Amino acid sequence: MTICTREEWMTIAASRLLWDGCVCFVGIGLPSAACNLARLTHAPEIVLVYESGTLGTRPDVLPLSIGDGELARTATCVVPLPEIFSYYLQAGRVDVGFLGAAQIDRYGNLNSTVIGSYDTPHTRLPGAGGAPEIATHARETFVMLKATPRSFVAELDFRTTAGYLQGSGARGRSGAPGGGPRSVITDFGLLKPHPDTQELQLAALFSGVGVEEARAAVGWPLALAAHVGIVDPPEARELEILRALHARTRQAHARPVAIPL
Amino acid sequence: MTICTREEWMTIAASRLLWDGCVCFVGIGLPSAACNLARLTHAPEIVLVYESGTLGTRPDVLPLSIGDGELARTATCVVPLPEIFSYYLQAGRVDVGFLGAAQIDRYGNLNSTVIGSYDTPHTRLPGAGGAPEIATHARETFVMLKATPRSFVAELDFRTTAGYLQGSGARGRSGAPGGGPRSVITDFGLLKPHPDTQELQLAALFSGVGVEEARAAVGWPLALAAHVGIVDPPEARELEILRALHARTRQAHARPVAIPL
Amino acid sequence: MSARFLTLADAIAEHVHDGACVALEGFTHLIPFAAGHEIIRQRRHDLHLVRMTPDLIYDQMIGMGCARKLTFSWGGNPGVGSLHRLRDAVERRWPAPLQLDEHSHAGMAAAYCAGAARLPFGVLRGYANTDLPAHNPAIRSVQCPYTGETLAAVPAINPDVTLLHAQSADRQGNIALHGIVGAAREAALAAKSLVVTVEELVDNLAPAMNAVLLPHWLVSAVVHCPGGAYPSYAQGHYERDNAFYQQWDAIARDRESFLIWMDRHVLRSVDHRDFLGRLLEDAA
Amino acid sequence: MSARFLTLADAIAEHVHDGACVALEGFTHLIPFAAGHEIIRQRRHDLHLVRMTPDLIYDQMIGMGCARKLTFSWGGNPGVGSLHRLRDAVERRWPAPLQLDEHSHAGMAAAYCAGAARLPFGVLRGYANTDLPAHNPAIRSVQCPYTGETLAAVPAINPDVTLLHAQSADRQGNIALHGIVGAAREAALAAKSLVVTVEELVDNLAPAMNAVLLPHWLVSAVVHCPGGAYPSYAQGHYERDNAFYQQWDAIARDRESFLIWMDRHVLRSVDHRDFLGRLLEDAA
């Protein structure tokens, strides 16, 4: 087994869930790394859509922001942001939406708005961005976040983004066009919704990780799927390509930008 | 006095109503000739908007259709048609809208839909196009059409486009944002709305034309404005520029287009 | 879904079915004449035709009996006069009655935008104090939840298939248009499937990050069809044949001369190249 | 109305008033930093700030007490973390309470589009099953007059003034943007007045008929202001200074270090050129 960080493993596990040609609405950070890794490995024709309006982008280095010039330069085309949300996302043109959050509950509902109360917050978070409508309209969503009992919680402080609501078909009954969170990729493995209740269950563990570690990281009593699979460790090639991508990215971001004077 | 046709005189009379810098929503035919004549004479900075999406266009020859390539080639920019109607016209960005019609009534309401009944028409006309919303949103509209008792009628067969409705403030009460038809340019002179009733009245005659000619051409009892002015005959320069424009246009349209094989 | 490269005959056979709702868009510019002719050649019928400005190609399709319904906002021969076949269908039900779903440009543009966004309706300040809503029950109203104002509503247009003509496609099937685009992009995005004929296939589209482009994964079929917009035009390739538009008035005015012309030029031609060749012969 | 060429100080003095609703748009790209700094220098206050992604420039304006209300959809330092001054205002009301009008990107985009079209509201399939409507009474619903479906509604955004940064203007004041445009054009078209800082003035804009362009007659004032988007970027001119975005986290985390930085770099600089010069000095 190749030695790697949990973050690398998460990224690689997520990239493996993507297929060639899939249209992917990408968020910054781990999702962006995972999607570009997929493009550089098994899914060369994956279509990456960033909410900044860049369609079919093929960045050589990972963007720091959602709208770096690299994304525009390497895109098939760049359209105004309102079109991305109305003509692409809302129109049902997106296969996979990638989401992160500060909190997730057992039904895949997400909070990225506030810790504490909305009016007198303990911690004010950045807010919704594109997430509520990505979660509504993408055919399926993948959620990526590291697990602690403070992030995988029994109850959200604020529901920014709907997953399966209260489960047991509630999402379907609400008329949401997209399929909801089909995979949660975290730093011990994958959670997936139970087919009937939609409660997130442990579906796969990174090889070498035990169930107890998973249970300790999750703030609700974590149920096991009928079959708990194993996420194979990164292959040398995957790791090499991911690390080269990160190295190129670090190098590019370290290059000083001349102050335009 | 320079000898000219009534159509030339109408065109020149209409062009004189336009001012430099005014944003003008242009229709094909006489309005297009009048607007471009204004641009080539006293209003070099007039902004011509055609519904095909060409903004600030400066055609060298008059287009036959509303979307000739000449309009795109000489435009400041070309935008999608929905934007012309929502972001420009509906947004109140147009000073003057030019309209034609098959029929006009005494309150400047227009018919360009049908002669006879809608379901069993005597003559099916092309229909509304941009007219209803041009009439609603342009700060003012100018209507150009030749007068006969069949075109200047007591009652429209179909109201395609609202002028002053039933007059006496009805348009204002309806909440229409634009000011309505401020001038009707026809082949004997100009009609303008009465300040209180908004009934179209004879406001000016081409010099040498008598009131009786005007009355004979209008299908309702034509009232005279408090002051009936005189439309000066075309100046030599106006006529020269207009005729050169038409000559260039005829020449360009007569040039055979190679079949693209 | 990724774009497939087909012949025009195959693309029409596969994507345009009898009874379907079909939009051939392009505002004066880039009108898909070749595609319309192939629909006539394949004898499609009972179509619900959608197009802001029906133009000659719809005059031909209506006159040849392809249509049962027309959604439109201006039906004339631009700068010339009437579409005689459209008029004959409406005034005298020849060759068949034609149901009208009549709009203004602003209303139809809003309906295409709603369709592209997969919203069920579009909103505009339109149709005010006109007789159109009285004759088209599809024009309704909606109340602003903030001001209480009543605005016009139109139902979204979502054609079964939209057909466009464009300047170029690359090998992936990305489509580039430039010049007057009308509501072509919205009609394309609103459709369930999208067929595009293009002037040329190129290895790589010219880089233009904010250009009007339809990504390949929205395109059902790409057809290489030079001259496919003639007698309309393709900016940068050939000009609008205004003379043909003027000649059409005489051809279409009379049922018999229309049928003879269609038979010789469209029905008996095997494809668009042949069609253009026959026009060249006429001109010789 | 035709565009006037002004200094930045004059443009702000004339077009940005205390208490006004002000949008500085540009999605990551072309963020009008110079204009925001001049607003701070002129000590504007009680502003209703509007922006999809507040970014550093709003962190600075909020921290310097310019704002009473914020309409936004994502308020963070992209790729880095929090906007500490925004958080301090919301969590601890420093330097003043900040009223939030909070949306999603899709909702705010619809609100700008409605504003640009001068419709009173925008419609979307959004905010479904989220807590946002419960905390923002501006998010309402509207019923489809065809299907009966309930959709989300947002009130139109029509700023008193929108400020943009763009690559170039010609002598008439036509403005050209390229690259990522976000909702800049809609914010511009929705505004009562529009002020644009540009990298360069050119005699003639490059011909590009379908380019993103704001015609001069929509532009209230044009300001020649090279580097006006730094530390954001202007495609084709300079890149985003990602390092500065990362450094900002430390500067803004603490009230005192923030105030010292703002005093030295913004308040004591006479204009944007001077501001950039001070940053160069820091780097030396």
mmCIF file of all heavy atoms in Angstrom, chain A residues 65-87:
data_model
loop_
_atom_site.group_PDB
_atom_site.id
_atom_site.type_symbol
_atom_site.label_atom_id
_atom_site.label_comp_id
_atom_site.label_asym_id
_atom_site.label_seq_id
_atom_site.Cartn_x
_atom_site.Cartn_y
_atom_site.Cartn_z
ATOM 1 N N SER A 65 -9.653 30.363 -6.182
ATOM 2 C CA SER A 65 -11.042 30.830 -6.102
ATOM 3 C C SER A 65 -11.850 30.123 -7.165
ATOM 4 O O SER A 65 -11.310 29.453 -8.043
ATOM 5 C CB SER A 65 -11.106 32.337 -6.329
ATOM 6 O OG SER A 65 -11.022 32.625 -7.715
ATOM 7 N N ILE A 66 -13.156 30.317 -7.099
ATOM 8 C CA ILE A 66 -14.068 29.699 -8.062
ATOM 9 C C ILE A 66 -13.991 30.387 -9.421
ATOM 10 O O ILE A 66 -14.564 29.912 -10.397
ATOM 11 C CB ILE A 66 -15.508 29.743 -7.493
ATOM 12 C CG1 ILE A 66 -16.428 28.749 -8.178
ATOM 13 C CG2 ILE A 66 -16.097 31.137 -7.543
ATOM 14 C CD1 ILE A 66 -16.313 27.377 -7.656
ATOM 15 N N GLY A 67 -13.254 31.490 -9.495
ATOM 16 C CA GLY A 67 -13.234 32.243 -10.746
ATOM 17 C C GLY A 67 -11.840 32.661 -11.183
ATOM 18 O O GLY A 67 -11.680 33.717 -11.793
ATOM 19 N N ASP A 68 -10.839 31.861 -10.896
ATOM 20 C CA ASP A 68 -9.486 32.185 -11.351
ATOM 21 C C ASP A 68 -9.435 32.273 -12.875
ATOM 22 O O ASP A 68 -10.180 31.579 -13.575
ATOM 23 C CB ASP A 68 -8.494 31.104 -10.894
ATOM 24 C CG ASP A 68 -8.099 31.250 -9.421
ATOM 25 O OD1 ASP A 68 -8.800 31.960 -8.677
ATOM 26 O OD2 ASP A 68 -7.085 30.643 -9.026
ATOM 27 N N GLY A 69 -8.518 33.099 -13.372
ATOM 28 C CA GLY A 69 -8.354 33.277 -14.813
ATOM 29 C C GLY A 69 -8.062 31.976 -15.541
ATOM 30 O O GLY A 69 -8.465 31.792 -16.697
ATOM 31 N N GLU A 70 -7.365 31.074 -14.872
ATOM 32 C CA GLU A 70 -7.056 29.762 -15.452
ATOM 33 C C GLU A 70 -8.330 29.026 -15.900
ATOM 34 O O GLU A 70 -8.319 28.343 -16.924
ATOM 35 C CB GLU A 70 -6.310 28.939 -14.388
ATOM 36 C CG GLU A 70 -6.003 27.497 -14.749
ATOM 37 C CD GLU A 70 -4.860 27.365 -15.734
ATOM 38 O OE1 GLU A 70 -4.228 28.388 -16.099
ATOM 39 O OE2 GLU A 70 -4.595 26.213 -16.152
ATOM 40 N N LEU A 71 -9.394 29.172 -15.157
ATOM 41 C CA LEU A 71 -10.649 28.492 -15.504
ATOM 42 C C LEU A 71 -11.249 29.066 -16.780
ATOM 43 O O LEU A 71 -11.795 28.336 -17.603
ATOM 44 C CB LEU A 71 -11.662 28.624 -14.360
ATOM 45 C CG LEU A 71 -11.274 27.941 -13.054
ATOM 46 C CD1 LEU A 71 -12.317 28.228 -11.982
ATOM 47 C CD2 LEU A 71 -11.110 26.442 -13.258
ATOM 48 N N ALA A 72 -11.150 30.389 -16.931
ATOM 49 C CA ALA A 72 -11.693 31.033 -18.126
ATOM 50 C C ALA A 72 -10.839 30.702 -19.347
ATOM 51 O O ALA A 72 -11.358 30.391 -20.415
ATOM 52 C CB ALA A 72 -11.779 32.547 -17.925
ATOM 53 N N ARG A 73 -9.524 30.756 -19.150
ATOM 54 C CA ARG A 73 -8.596 30.527 -20.268
ATOM 55 C C ARG A 73 -8.737 29.143 -20.870
ATOM 56 O O ARG A 73 -8.533 28.955 -22.062
ATOM 57 C CB ARG A 73 -7.151 30.675 -19.768
ATOM 58 C CG ARG A 73 -6.427 31.910 -20.226
ATOM 59 C CD ARG A 73 -4.924 31.814 -19.943
ATOM 60 N NE ARG A 73 -4.615 31.397 -18.588
ATOM 61 C CZ ARG A 73 -4.493 32.221 -17.544
ATOM 62 N NH1 ARG A 73 -4.654 33.513 -17.697
ATOM 63 N NH2 ARG A 73 -4.227 31.746 -16.343
ATOM 64 N N THR A 74 -9.073 28.157 -20.054
ATOM 65 C CA THR A 74 -9.091 26.769 -20.531
ATOM 66 C C THR A 74 -10.518 26.248 -20.760
ATOM 67 O O THR A 74 -10.707 25.054 -20.966
ATOM 68 C CB THR A 74 -8.379 25.849 -19.524
ATOM 69 O OG1 THR A 74 -9.086 25.892 -18.284
ATOM 70 C CG2 THR A 74 -6.946 26.296 -19.281
ATOM 71 N N ALA A 75 -11.496 27.134 -20.717
ATOM 72 C CA ALA A 75 -12.896 26.704 -20.859
ATOM 73 C C ALA A 75 -13.302 26.604 -22.324
ATOM 74 O O ALA A 75 -12.751 27.299 -23.185
ATOM 75 C CB ALA A 75 -13.821 27.687 -20.151
ATOM 76 N N THR A 76 -14.274 25.754 -22.607
ATOM 77 C CA THR A 76 -14.901 25.761 -23.929
ATOM 78 C C THR A 76 -15.533 27.119 -24.171
ATOM 79 O O THR A 76 -15.391 27.709 -25.229
ATOM 80 C CB THR A 76 -16.004 24.682 -24.016
ATOM 81 O OG1 THR A 76 -15.440 23.428 -23.641
ATOM 82 C CG2 THR A 76 -16.571 24.590 -25.411
ATOM 83 N N CYS A 77 -16.232 27.621 -23.186
ATOM 84 C CA CYS A 77 -16.746 28.991 -23.246
ATOM 85 C C CYS A 77 -17.110 29.464 -21.853
ATOM 86 O O CYS A 77 -17.207 28.671 -20.922
ATOM 87 C CB CYS A 77 -17.947 29.116 -24.195
ATOM 88 S SG CYS A 77 -19.389 28.172 -23.704
ATOM 89 N N VAL A 78 -17.255 30.758 -21.748
ATOM 90 C CA VAL A 78 -17.598 31.385 -20.472
ATOM 91 C C VAL A 78 -18.919 32.114 -20.665
ATOM 92 O O VAL A 78 -19.042 32.934 -21.574
ATOM 93 C CB VAL A 78 -16.507 32.389 -20.049
ATOM 94 C CG1 VAL A 78 -16.858 33.027 -18.708
ATOM 95 C CG2 VAL A 78 -15.142 31.721 -19.987
ATOM 96 N N VAL A 79 -19.901 31.799 -19.832
ATOM 97 C CA VAL A 79 -21.213 32.444 -19.963
ATOM 98 C C VAL A 79 -21.518 33.235 -18.697
ATOM 99 O O VAL A 79 -20.931 32.993 -17.640
ATOM 100 C CB VAL A 79 -22.329 31.399 -20.239
ATOM 101 C CG1 VAL A 79 -22.014 30.590 -21.487
ATOM 102 C CG2 VAL A 79 -22.562 30.499 -19.052
ATOM 103 N N PRO A 80 -22.438 34.188 -18.780
ATOM 104 C CA PRO A 80 -22.820 34.927 -17.582
ATOM 105 C C PRO A 80 -23.352 33.993 -16.498
ATOM 106 O O PRO A 80 -24.011 32.983 -16.803
ATOM 107 C CB PRO A 80 -23.912 35.877 -18.089
ATOM 108 C CG PRO A 80 -23.610 36.055 -19.544
ATOM 109 C CD PRO A 80 -23.097 34.722 -19.991
ATOM 110 N N LEU A 81 -23.078 34.329 -15.272
ATOM 111 C CA LEU A 81 -23.485 33.491 -14.141
ATOM 112 C C LEU A 81 -24.978 33.192 -14.093
ATOM 113 O O LEU A 81 -25.348 32.045 -13.805
ATOM 114 C CB LEU A 81 -23.005 34.147 -12.843
ATOM 115 C CG LEU A 81 -23.325 33.415 -11.551
ATOM 116 C CD1 LEU A 81 -22.154 33.514 -10.594
ATOM 117 C CD2 LEU A 81 -24.586 33.962 -10.925
ATOM 118 N N PRO A 82 -25.860 34.142 -14.376
ATOM 119 C CA PRO A 82 -27.284 33.781 -14.316
ATOM 120 C C PRO A 82 -27.630 32.608 -15.232
ATOM 121 O O PRO A 82 -28.491 31.797 -14.901
ATOM 122 C CB PRO A 82 -28.001 35.075 -14.755
ATOM 123 C CG PRO A 82 -27.060 36.169 -14.376
ATOM 124 C CD PRO A 82 -25.682 35.596 -14.617
ATOM 125 N N GLU A 83 -26.951 32.507 -16.361
ATOM 126 C CA GLU A 83 -27.228 31.395 -17.280
ATOM 127 C C GLU A 83 -26.797 30.058 -16.694
ATOM 128 O O GLU A 83 -27.449 29.042 -16.933
ATOM 129 C CB GLU A 83 -26.513 31.620 -18.617
ATOM 130 C CG GLU A 83 -27.073 32.818 -19.347
ATOM 131 C CD GLU A 83 -26.453 33.011 -20.715
ATOM 132 O OE1 GLU A 83 -25.689 32.141 -21.173
ATOM 133 O OE2 GLU A 83 -26.731 34.068 -21.316
ATOM 134 N N ILE A 84 -25.696 30.055 -15.986
ATOM 135 C CA ILE A 84 -25.246 28.808 -15.362
ATOM 136 C C ILE A 84 -26.337 28.260 -14.449
ATOM 137 O O ILE A 84 -26.648 27.070 -14.470
ATOM 138 C CB ILE A 84 -23.948 29.052 -14.557
ATOM 139 C CG1 ILE A 84 -22.765 29.223 -15.504
ATOM 140 C CG2 ILE A 84 -23.691 27.922 -13.552
ATOM 141 C CD1 ILE A 84 -22.355 27.939 -16.203
ATOM 142 N N PHE A 85 -26.933 29.135 -13.671
ATOM 143 C CA PHE A 85 -27.932 28.665 -12.718
ATOM 144 C C PHE A 85 -29.284 28.388 -13.368
ATOM 145 O O PHE A 85 -29.972 27.459 -12.961
ATOM 146 C CB PHE A 85 -28.058 29.650 -11.541
ATOM 147 C CG PHE A 85 -26.920 29.477 -10.575
ATOM 148 C CD1 PHE A 85 -25.781 30.269 -10.656
ATOM 149 C CD2 PHE A 85 -26.960 28.475 -9.616
ATOM 150 C CE1 PHE A 85 -24.719 30.074 -9.789
ATOM 151 C CE2 PHE A 85 -25.903 28.279 -8.744
ATOM 152 C CZ PHE A 85 -24.777 29.081 -8.831
ATOM 153 N N SER A 86 -29.670 29.174 -14.384
ATOM 154 C CA SER A 86 -30.990 28.938 -14.975
ATOM 155 C C SER A 86 -30.932 27.962 -16.146
ATOM 156 O O SER A 86 -31.641 26.962 -16.163
ATOM 157 C CB SER A 86 -31.641 30.259 -15.387
ATOM 158 O OG SER A 86 -30.853 30.942 -16.334
ATOM 159 N N TYR A 87 -30.056 28.243 -17.132
ATOM 160 C CA TYR A 87 -30.064 27.440 -18.362
ATOM 161 C C TYR A 87 -29.311 26.114 -18.222
ATOM 162 O O TYR A 87 -29.486 25.230 -19.053
ATOM 163 C CB TYR A 87 -29.448 28.223 -19.523
ATOM 164 C CG TYR A 87 -30.271 29.378 -20.019
ATOM 165 C CD1 TYR A 87 -29.770 30.227 -21.001
ATOM 166 C CD2 TYR A 87 -31.550 29.625 -19.550
ATOM 167 C CE1 TYR A 87 -30.512 31.299 -21.480
ATOM 168 C CE2 TYR A 87 -32.291 30.689 -20.015
ATOM 169 C CZ TYR A 87 -31.767 31.531 -20.986
ATOM 170 O OH TYR A 87 -32.499 32.584 -21.461
#
